[in-house]
Amino acid sequence: MKLRGIFILVLSLSVGLSATLACAQERVKLQTIEEFDRDGKPVPLSKATTDLLSYIEKTLTIHFQIQRVPWKRAMSNALKEDLVLMGMSINKDRLDKYLFSDAINANGNWLVTRCDSRFPFDNLQDLKGKLIGIVAATSAGDAFDGQIGKLFNVENDIGAGISRLQKLMAKRMAALVWHDNVDAPLKLENGINLSYTRRGLSNTTGDPKPFCVLPKPISIVSNHFAMRISPANRQLLDRINQAMAKGRKEGAIPSTVATILN
């Protein structure tokens, strides 16, 4: 009985200590863009993203309460309460409303077309009069954003890759803006085509590889953690900066250009 009593006491102390440590963790709300597959099932965060968040949590003794929501809603939510946005690129308008961390990663903004209707792209003038698909509330850089509704028009999509490709296949637009690694358009092209064709979806191009990624990106942008402007939020983002710098120095998380969000 004595041993049983000691065991129960030790177990109780252990449970109590765990609860105390859990309570001691700073809880931080974090929202990032939601993604769904063609069956409406949520697409999980990439391993690179979860590894990054786990490292920051461990280093700063915080706990991220992660929510995946439409990006436009996430941006609106972050202006109403102190939550962290993950994956925000910087433009002039956003600098008036949000604070930004150092870069999480760097993405290219690539144009995806049907291969049977691809067009040359060297600069934004090549998009004149075209309809381009973008994910609602995302940015492809100030130069591109500034020409929307002037040089070309956009079709606002939800953040679901396969459904966007289906719209392109149906010739709903001339091209899609797709965010991916800064230096791997051919790898992106192969991945997009594999993801699409293995689902047995409609292909009216007459080519087993229906989609082409144009070789020059619209822009290369960095993505960041962001919060509404306040001194306390600046302090939290500075702590996140320190954690990311430490992780990259140790080799625990990838360099800025070596990772993408999803």
Side-chain angles (χ1 to χ4, degrees), residues 89-92 94 107 109 124 138-148 152 177 179 218-222:
S89 60
I90 298 174
N91 62 29
K92 289 168 61 177
R94 292 173 180 176
N107 284 356
N109 289 294
L124 292 179
T138 60
S139 171
D142 282 328
F144 179 90
D145 298 348
Q147 292 299 324
I148 294 174
F152 53 84
V177 176
H179 310 275
I218 292 172
S219 61
I220 294 175
V221 299
S222 55

Side-chain angles (χ1 to χ4, degrees), residues 4 25 50 60 130 153 170 218 226:
R4 183 171 181 273
Q25 278 190 326
T50 55
L60 301 183
K130 298 185 185 301
N153 291 311
I218 292 172

Side-chain angles (χ1 to χ4, degrees), residues 97-135:
K97 303 172 184 176
Y98 303 93
L99 299 168
F100 291 86
S101 72
D102 293 340
I104 301 169
N105 53 32
N107 284 356
N109 289 294
W110 303 93
L111 287 168
V112 182
T113 70
R114 286 175 51 127
C115 289
D116 62 357
S117 56
R118 64 185 297 170
F119 54 86
F121 175 76
D122 184 62
N123 58 58
L124 292 179
Q125 288 297 320
D126 294 323
L127 301 183
K128 185 175 181 179
K130 298 185 185 301
L131 182 64
I132 307 297
I134 64 171
V135 175

Side-chain angles (χ1 to χ4, degrees), residues 31-68:
Q31 293 188 354
T32 190
I33 191 169
E34 66 179 353
E35 295 280 356
F36 298 95
D37 64 19
R38 67 182 292 263
D39 300 316
K41 296 179 180 178
V43 176
L45 292 172
S46 68
K47 185 178 184 301
T49 299
T50 55
D51 287 350
L52 171 64
L53 293 176
S54 295
Y55 183 86
I56 293 172
E57 286 180 320
K58 182 179 178 181
T59 303
L60 301 183
T61 319
I62 64 176
H63 174 68
F64 286 121
Q65 298 173 307
I66 301 170
Q67 292 179 298
R68 309 285 301 276

Side-chain angles (χ1 to χ4, degrees), residues 164-182:
R164 299 183 72 211
L165 293 173
Q166 288 177 295
K167 290 169 70 175
L168 181 58
M169 179 60 67
K171 299 183 179 181
R172 291 270 300 274
M173 68 280 292
L176 302 174
V177 176
W178 200 284
H179 310 275
D180 208 275
N181 281 347
V182 300

